[in-house]
Amino acid sequence: MAFVAAAAVPIVAHHAFGGEFDPNRPVLLKGKVTRVEWVNPHAWIHVEVAKPDGTKEEWMVEGGTPNTLLRRGITKDSLKPGTEIVVDGYQARDHSQLRANGRNVTFPDGRKLFLGSSGTGAPIDGADPTEGGAKPPTGRGRGGQ
Amino acid sequence: MMRDRFFIPAAALALSSALMSAQSTKSTIPRTADGHPDLTGVYDLATLTPVERPNGASPVYTEAEAKKLEQQVAVRKEYQGRAIDGNRPAPPKGGDGSPGPAGNVGGYNSFWIDSGSSYTIVDGQRRSSIVIDPQDGRVPELTAEARQRAAAARNQAPTSDQTAREDDPGFEKTPGAYDDPERRPLGERCLIGFGSTSGPPALPNYFYNNLHQIVQTADSVMILNEMVHDARVVRMNQPHLPPTVRRWMGDSVGRWEGDTLVVDTTNFTDKTRFRGSSPDLHVVERFTRTGPKTLLYRFTIDDPKTWTRAWTGEYTWPATDERLYEYACHEGNYALGDILRGARLKEADDARKKSR
C-alpha cells in the first residue's frame, strides 16, 4: 500500500491549486466521461457521476495542458464519451461548483489515462523501484523554478 | 581537454568555442538568401540541466554520470505512470500535504508532464548548469538594493519566473495575494509563461510546453514561445525604442556578428522582474547555429541594480520535428476565476466565524 501512496503523488503547475481547491473537501468520483474541454491552460474532463440516491450530476475535472498530449498523438477522441474513469481530488472552494482537481485520473482498474493506453511509458530494464531495495522516487513536479 | 575549455574567462567566451564550432560547420548549416545562417525552425528547450549548478556537482558530467542521472529521471517517470489502486479512497480530509502552489491539495498526475530527459550538450560537454559565468555556475548575489526591493515586493505580484510564491500554501501567507487579479502570477493570468519561458532570457521551465519557434526574415526575427503563446519580434539593425516605451518582454533589437545573431533587449517593465530584476535589466542573447539540427543559445544578464556582477548562461536548443500547437491560454482559464471566487468565499466564511 505504501507503493500506491507514493505513486499517487500528484504534480502541480501553472497556478495556485491551493487557492482553487478546498483541502477539506476530498472527493472520489467514479463515472463516465461526457466530454473533454481540450483547452489551455488546462484541459477539463467532464464526468457524469451517479449519486447514492440514483440521480446524476456532472463534475468537471482539471488536468494539465493539452499540447503535450497532442504531440504524443492523444486527441479528444482518445477519451471518448462513455469511458469509465475514477478521479481522486479536492472540490473547488466554491462548493456550488462541481469542479475538482484531477490528482489522479485512472481507468477503473487503476491504469492511468493516456500513459496506460498510449504506450508512452516505455518499460525500463531492471528499473522497478519497488524491488531490490531501491528507494521509491520522491520527486515532485514544481512549476516556475 | 574538453573540460579545460569550459574554464576560459568570461570575456573571451563570445569568441570561443561556439563561434569556432560554428566556423567548422559553416558549410553544413542552412542559410537564408542573404547569406546569414537560417535559424528558422522549432526547438525543444526541455532539458535536465538546471539554471544553477547543484551543490557539489562538477561543471561537466561525464557521459556515464549523465546517463546515470538521466536513467534515474526515466525511472521516476515510469514509476509515476504506473497503475495505482482503482478502488482507492478519496484523498485525506484536511489536505494531502502538498507544498508550494500545490497548496495542500496536489495538482494533476504525471501524464500531463513533458519535462526534459537529458542534459544539455555544449561542445560535447554534458553541462550541470546553464549558468557558466560565474564559474561556480550560480547566479551572483543580489545587491543590497535588490534585497530591499524584494522585501518591499512582498505585497506585489510574483515575478515572471514564479508560478506563485514558493512559501504560499494557498491563501494563508502573503497578505492580499488573492485580492486582485493583478496580484496573481503572470502565468496564472495567461500573460507570460512561467519559468521565464518567454524570456528574455528564454529558459526551460522543467515542466511542459518548452517549444520555441523562430521565424526569420531580413528585417525581423520572431521568437514564439509555446506557453501562453508569446511572440517576441526582434527588429534587425534598429535603435531601441525611447526609454519611455516599456514592454512585457522588453524591446529587442538584433544584429549579425559574423554567423551569430546578437539580440539586445532593454525597456523592461516593473511587472516581469526576472529573478527580481529592475526595469533597467539588460539582456544580450547570442544565437549560433552549431549544426543543421542544433542552435547554441547564450545570454548575458546585466542589471547593476540587482546583481553584484553580470552573469552568463548557455545551453543548446535542439531542433525538433514536433509541432507547436496554439496555446490560446484564456479560452479555458476557469482556474483564475475559481481561485478569486474561492478567496471571496473564504473571506466571507472567516468573517462569519469571527462575528460568532
Side-chain angles (χ1 to χ4, degrees), chain A residues 37 40-41 72 88 90 112, chain B residues 80 88 92 113 327 329 334:
Chain A
E37 288 189 72
N40 279 302
R72 293 179 196 155
D88 66 77
Y90 290 89
K112 288 181 180 160
Chain B
Q80 287 171 337
R88 62 191 177 278
I113 307 308
Y327 198 80
C329 187
Y334 303 123

Side-chain angles (χ1 to χ4, degrees), chain A residues 114-130:
Chain A
F114 310 125
L115 277 181
S117 59
S118 69
T120 50
I124 293 155
D125 293 340
D128 185 347
T130 62

Side-chain angles (χ1 to χ4, degrees), chain B residues 164-292:
Chain B
R165 295 197 186 279
E166 279 74 2
D167 59 352
D168 184 359
F171 294 128
E172 284 70 64
K173 278 207 178 162
T174 312
Y178 295 82
D179 283 0
D180 179 334
E182 296 194 0
R183 287 287 307 277
R184 303 307 307 149
L186 302 180
E188 203 167 290
R189 296 167 61 197
C190 289
L191 288 171
I192 282 185
F194 67 78
S196 195
T197 43
S198 304
L203 295 174
N205 67 11
Y206 307 97
F207 211 76
Y208 56 35
N209 292 338
N210 279 297
L211 265 50
H212 281 59
Q213 181 172 19
I214 296 180
V215 176
Q216 178 181 342
T217 72
D219 303 324
S220 54
V221 176
M222 191 273 303
I223 305 163
L224 176 66
N225 173 33
E226 176 173 32
M227 200 159 82
V228 191
H229 215 70
D230 303 311
R232 181 158 56 109
V233 178
V234 179
R235 295 174 297 120
M236 294 300 294
N237 306 309
Q238 296 287 318
H240 275 297
L241 295 169
T244 46
V245 182
R246 299 278 159 175
R247 291 179 159 178
W248 289 100
M249 293 177 282
D251 175 50
S252 294
V253 294
R255 64 181 188 274
W256 289 98
E257 282 184 11
D259 275 351
T260 295
L261 172 68
V262 181
V263 177
D264 188 291
T265 306
T266 58
N267 297 41
F268 287 91
T269 72
D270 61 355
K271 297 185 176 73
T272 42
R273 309 195 323 275
F274 168 69
R275 285 179 171 257
S277 63
S278 80
D280 290 354
L281 174 66
H282 180 203
V283 182
V284 179
E285 298 159 286
R286 296 176 159 268
F287 299 79
T288 310
R289 269 240 182 250
T290 45

Side-chain angles (χ1 to χ4, degrees), chain B residues 37-206:
Chain B
D38 189 354
L39 308 179
T40 300
V42 177
Y43 300 89
D44 186 354
L45 276 54
T47 176
L48 291 180
T49 301
V51 174
E52 295 189 89
R53 190 172 307 144
N55 283 333
S58 59
V60 177
Y61 291 127
T62 64
E63 187 175 351
E65 286 168 341
K67 289 264 182 277
K68 191 177 168 191
L69 292 166
E70 288 163 2
Q71 176 79 354
Q72 285 170 4
V73 172
V75 168
R76 184 160 70 228
K77 280 186 187 163
E78 197 269 347
Y79 184 83
Q80 287 171 337
R82 286 182 180 199
I84 55 173
D85 186 357
N87 290 312
R88 62 191 177 278
K93 189 164 184 180
D96 67 359
S98 312
N104 202 21
V105 294
Y108 38 78
N109 61 12
S110 57
F111 60 69
W112 304 95
I113 307 308
D114 188 17
S115 52
S117 56
S118 60
Y119 284 85
T120 194
I121 299 178
V122 180
D123 291 337
Q125 301 175 332
R126 288 165 174 79
R127 296 284 176 83
S128 66
S129 65
I130 288 177
V131 174
I132 55 165
D133 177 40
Q135 289 187 0
D136 66 0
R138 311 285 294 186
V139 176
E141 291 289 308
L142 290 174
T143 60
E145 180 190 342
R147 283 197 300 272
Q148 275 172 8
R149 220 170 41 229
R154 286 294 298 167
N155 292 326
Q156 291 176 27
T159 61
S160 57
D161 46 331
Q162 292 175 305
T163 46
R165 295 197 186 279
E166 279 74 2
D167 59 352
D168 184 359
F171 294 128
E172 284 70 64
K173 278 207 178 162
T174 312
Y178 295 82
D179 283 0
D180 179 334
E182 296 194 0
R183 287 287 307 277
R184 303 307 307 149
L186 302 180
E188 203 167 290
R189 296 167 61 197
C190 289
L191 288 171
I192 282 185
F194 67 78
S196 195
T197 43
S198 304
L203 295 174
N205 67 11
Y206 307 97

Side-chain angles (χ1 to χ4, degrees), chain A residues 4-135:
Chain A
V4 171
V9 169
I11 285 168
V12 70
H14 186 262
H15 70 266
F17 280 80
E20 187 174 7
F21 300 105
D22 185 346
N24 289 315
R25 293 292 280 247
V27 293
L28 184 78
L29 308 170
K30 291 188 178 184
K32 287 181 178 166
V33 173
T34 52
R35 69 188 178 104
V36 181
E37 288 189 72
W38 214 242
V39 290
N40 279 302
H42 296 274
W44 287 84
I45 300 167
H46 293 241
V47 55
E48 188 178 71
V49 179
K51 293 202 293 187
D53 65 4
T55 59
K56 288 176 177 170
E57 57 189 17
E58 189 182 87
W59 282 73
M60 287 169 65
V61 176
E62 184 168 11
T65 167
N67 291 34
T68 296
L69 302 183
L70 279 168
R71 276 196 286 277
R72 293 179 196 155
I74 298 159
T75 67
K76 45 198 314 187
D77 292 335
S78 306
L79 193 56
K80 289 199 165 68
T83 307
E84 295 214 29
I85 59 171
V86 180
V87 179
D88 66 77
Y90 290 89
Q91 187 176 1
R93 286 187 186 256
D94 177 357
H95 299 160
S96 69
Q97 306 260 11
L98 297 180
R99 293 179 183 176
N101 63 331
R103 282 175 89 256
N104 289 289
V105 184
T106 70
F107 295 109
D109 64 3
R111 279 180 302 130
K112 288 181 180 160
L113 288 186
F114 310 125
L115 277 181
S117 59
S118 69
T120 50
I124 293 155
D125 293 340
D128 185 347
T130 62
E131 290 172 5
K135 203 177 158 201

